[in-house]
Amino acid sequence: MSFIHLIQNKCPKCHKGQVFRAKSLFTFRPTAMQNECSQCHHNFSKEPGFYWGAMYVSYGLATAEMALVYLCCIALGTNALDFINLVVCIAVVLILFPFNFRMARLLWLYLFTNVIES
């Protein structure tokens, strides 16, 4: 799995076409996935319910982000059981939700493209 192609929103098979209609993963506008790659015509919809597993990846990303934000809050000198830490962690996860959604789907697609194609 190429991390650079993943961040660039590229097809996991040919690394040329876009998986999402928006080119950047860091946009806050809602975006839809392409049905297939514009270059190699690789199908991004493997089967019904294929992306349900991406929910677990999204959960892991959000948990890691919350842990990092919490550690940053503690390093900045806030109390360990402070309500502000909770609010800041939730705000960061809500702000990063569009990124997490796209990244989780891309990771899931990258993880299972070579397994299913072989």
Side-chain angles (χ1 to χ4, degrees):
M1 173 172 33
S2 172
F3 186 70
I4 294 185
H5 293 128
L6 182 79
I7 292 295
Q8 291 176 344
N9 184 26
K10 298 293 185 183
C11 171
K13 191 170 181 185
C14 70
H15 304 297
K16 294 178 184 169
Q18 300 289 326
V19 176
F20 287 96
R21 292 194 178 126
K23 295 192 186 270
S24 174
L25 289 176
F26 300 102
T27 183
F28 291 104
R29 294 177 297 157
T31 184
M33 287 185 72
Q34 305 279 6
N35 290 330
E36 63 181 22
C37 178
S38 60
Q39 303 294 319
C40 67
H41 303 291
H42 176 66
N43 185 12
F44 296 140
S45 300
K46 305 287 184 199
E47 59 188 24
F50 175 72
Y51 289 105
W52 282 40
M55 291 186 305
Y56 298 107
V57 176
S58 179
Y59 176 75
L61 288 171
T63 303
E65 291 162 359
M66 285 184 87
L68 287 173
V69 169
Y70 179 75
L71 291 175
C72 289
C73 287
I74 297 300
L76 292 174
T78 61
N79 192 1
L81 298 175
D82 197 5
F83 182 72
I84 295 171
N85 292 348
L86 178 64
V87 171
V88 170
C89 287
I90 291 173
V92 167
V93 169
L94 288 176
I95 289 169
L96 290 177
F97 172 74
F99 170 76
N100 286 345
F101 175 78
R102 291 183 195 99
M103 183 57 75
R105 283 189 169 219
L106 277 170
L107 281 168
W108 196 252
L109 186 63
Y110 268 71
L111 284 172
F112 288 102
T113 293
N114 292 335
V115 173
I116 292 174
E117 296 299 318
S118 331

